[in-house]
Amino acid sequence: MQPPRDKAHPDKAHQDTAGDAQWSRPECQAWTGTLLLGTCLLYCARVSMPICTVSMSQDFGWNKKEAGIVLSSFFWGYCLTQILGGHLGDRIGGEKVILLSASAWGFLTAATPLLAHLGSAHLVFMTFSRILTGLLQGVYFPALTSLLSQKVRESERAFIYSTVGAGSQFGMLVTGAVGSLLLDWCGWQSVFYLSGGLTLLWVCYVYRSHSGLGRFGARPADGQAHQGSLETALPEAFCLGWVFNMVPWLVAIPASLFSGFLSDHLISQGYRTITVRKFMQVMGLGLSSVFALCLGHTSSFCKSVFFASASIGLQTFNHSGISVNIQDLAPSCAGVLFGVANTAGALAGVVGVGLGGYLIETTGSWTSVFNLVAAVSSLGLCTFLMFGKAQRVDLSPRQEDL
């Protein structure tokens, strides 16, 4: 164990620049709440289609293969704008990228019911809509990573990122609960109207309340990751039980907050940053995959809820592991670096959806899917444990070994 490190960076010039650019505590609190809500709304819009797929399939006569095309098409677009989003975030400011993309995906989501009835080619229009939504949402997390790496103190990054990341689980929870009710009461169109409309209201609030983002953050100086496949599999695996649309995300929200608090606390106590990051990945990939395996080998409803909740809850520890580790390595270009990493995750989503469907059709069981999740998670964990570092690489000539 090493003694606690000085919060100030040894590079004097970099310290002065970072100190000028970082948020004050009130600004940090305001941004954290705003971005938490933004992440929640991003996932509300993202999962609106999975929630409504069954009803839309009945209306438009889609079979399972056609519905799968619509669902997986999101990742076709999502993997194409990750690096672009990070680059734009590093160059013009992550807050601007987030606001512009949210305006576009909010409008597109609200307009989805209209697009679905433009003509008889429902499958084509919906597939195109999902690809475009993926393109627009693909810039969000790289831009978010760029923003936080430049504006948040190193000692607070894990907690802030985990708090904002909890919005993804909260969005799942809101859409799973409210969306299910709207489906019964008002039809599938209402789910898109609500999620898209709320996103547009959020954009208006951010813009008007913060004078075009002037108070929230200045342009960064020049030169300045996705949920696992288990998350994609569960809504379809247990679409007859609303419990599975709510309980795991209720568990995941406090789990994400706790992981961020624990990570920052351990570092403040003197543990090396890379040691903490790897411990978080052991929880987020290793232990979560154990519960995924258990989920695939039980027929008990109560045990299934428990295993699913534990697995998804533990996956949020990745926010304090590999996700924030990117900011350890290169905060000045964290957006682009995160974009590269998240592109790989998006490609895995494209392949995983198709492969998961093939395994289910071939074996007639979800066990093989959860076995695949565990295998991929274990491979990723072993790779990070062997090669993961937290030595800053974007400083010259001086570097700090974390």
Side-chain angles (χ1 to χ4, degrees):
M1 179 183 297
Q2 295 182 344
R5 294 176 286 102
D6 191 351
K7 294 182 180 179
H9 199 279
D11 190 300
K12 184 64 167 61
H14 176 80
Q15 179 186 25
D16 294 339
T17 301
D20 293 339
Q22 288 177 341
W23 292 325
S24 65
R25 187 163 296 277
E27 286 176 325
C28 191
Q29 292 172 348
W31 261 115
T32 300
T34 300
L35 292 172
L36 170 64
L37 181 57
T39 305
C40 170
L41 292 172
L42 176 137
Y43 268 81
C44 285
R46 180 180 299 186
V47 302
S48 293
M49 183 66 75
I51 290 292
C52 298
T53 298
V54 174
S55 297
M56 295 177 72
S57 297
Q58 293 173 350
D59 286 354
F60 301 133
W62 296 341
N63 56 35
K64 290 184 178 180
K65 181 179 179 180
E66 291 171 331
I69 291 175
V70 174
L71 290 174
S72 63
S73 60
F74 172 86
F75 295 101
W76 303 350
Y78 191 70
C79 66
L80 296 178
T81 52
Q82 297 289 322
I83 298 176
L84 175 63
H87 175 72
L88 290 175
D90 292 336
R91 297 295 296 178
I92 69 174
E95 67 275 21
K96 297 180 178 66
V97 177
I98 289 172
L99 199 64
L100 290 172
S101 65
S103 301
W105 92 60
F107 176 79
L108 180 61
T109 303
T112 296
L114 176 62
L115 292 174
H117 292 91
L118 280 180
S120 58
H122 310 294
L123 184 65
V124 174
F125 283 117
M126 288 299 94
T127 300
F128 174 77
S129 173
R130 291 297 287 172
I131 292 174
L132 187 55
T133 302
L135 285 169
L136 293 169
Q137 292 199 350
V139 304
Y140 182 87
F141 281 107
L144 174 66
T145 300
S146 176
L147 179 64
L148 297 185
S149 70
Q150 296 171 32
K151 300 297 185 181
V152 178
R153 298 177 181 87
E154 179 187 313
S155 60
E156 300 175 352
R157 282 180 189 160
F159 180 75
I160 299 299
Y161 194 92
S162 297
T163 301
V164 173
S168 59
Q169 288 79 39
F170 191 66
M172 293 278 194
L173 173 63
V174 170
T175 310
V178 178
S180 298
L181 295 176
L182 288 176
L183 276 174
D184 291 336
W185 295 348
C186 306
W188 60 264
Q189 295 89 344
S190 61
V191 179
F192 291 97
Y193 291 144
L194 179 66
S195 56
L198 289 176
T199 300
L200 293 176
L201 288 175
W202 177 79
V203 170
C204 292
Y205 163 76
V206 176
Y207 185 81
R208 296 189 62 176
S209 297
H210 304 284
S211 301
L213 303 178
R215 280 195 293 153
F216 258 26
R219 173 179 172 171
D222 289 340
Q224 299 281 110
H226 195 264
Q227 298 293 326
S229 55
L230 175 61
E231 171 186 300
T232 306
L234 280 176
E236 288 189 328
F238 302 104
C239 61
L240 301 175
W242 64 269
V243 172
F244 284 93
N245 284 331
M246 293 186 60
V247 175
W249 316 117
L250 283 173
V251 173
I253 293 171
S256 180
L257 298 177
F258 173 74
S259 72
F261 169 80
L262 178 62
S263 177
D264 287 341
H265 176 73
L266 290 175
I267 292 174
S268 70
Q269 293 301 305
Y271 289 94
R272 295 183 66 203
T273 300
I274 189 58
T275 302
V276 176
R277 303 294 185 237
K278 289 183 177 181
F279 170 73
M280 292 296 163
Q281 286 305 118
V282 169
M283 302 293 288
L285 288 179
L287 190 56
S288 69
S289 66
V290 173
F291 284 106
L293 286 173
C294 295
L295 180 59
H297 291 82
T298 183
S299 58
S300 168
F301 177 79
C302 292
K303 289 182 179 179
S304 296
V305 173
F306 173 78
F307 292 146
S309 300
S311 183
I312 291 176
L314 287 167
Q315 284 183 17
T316 64
F317 279 63
N318 294 325
H319 293 156
S320 302
I322 184 65
S323 295
V324 77
N325 179 240
I326 292 172
Q327 301 174 42
D328 300 329
L329 294 170
S332 65
C333 54
V336 171
L337 188 58
F338 185 91
V340 173
N342 218 31
T343 297
L347 290 173
V350 174
V351 176
V353 171
L355 181 58
Y358 171 79
L359 290 173
I360 295 172
E361 185 173 348
T362 302
T363 65
S365 171
W366 278 87
T367 301
S368 58
V369 176
F370 294 121
N371 290 342
L372 175 64
V373 170
V376 173
S377 296
S378 299
L379 177 62
L381 175 61
C382 291
T383 302
F384 185 71
L385 291 179
M386 292 176 61
F387 301 107
K389 297 183 180 297
Q391 184 183 43
R392 186 164 180 178
V393 297
D394 63 345
L395 288 179
S396 178
R398 195 169 183 179
Q399 294 180 337
E400 180 182 10
D401 188 357
L402 302 178

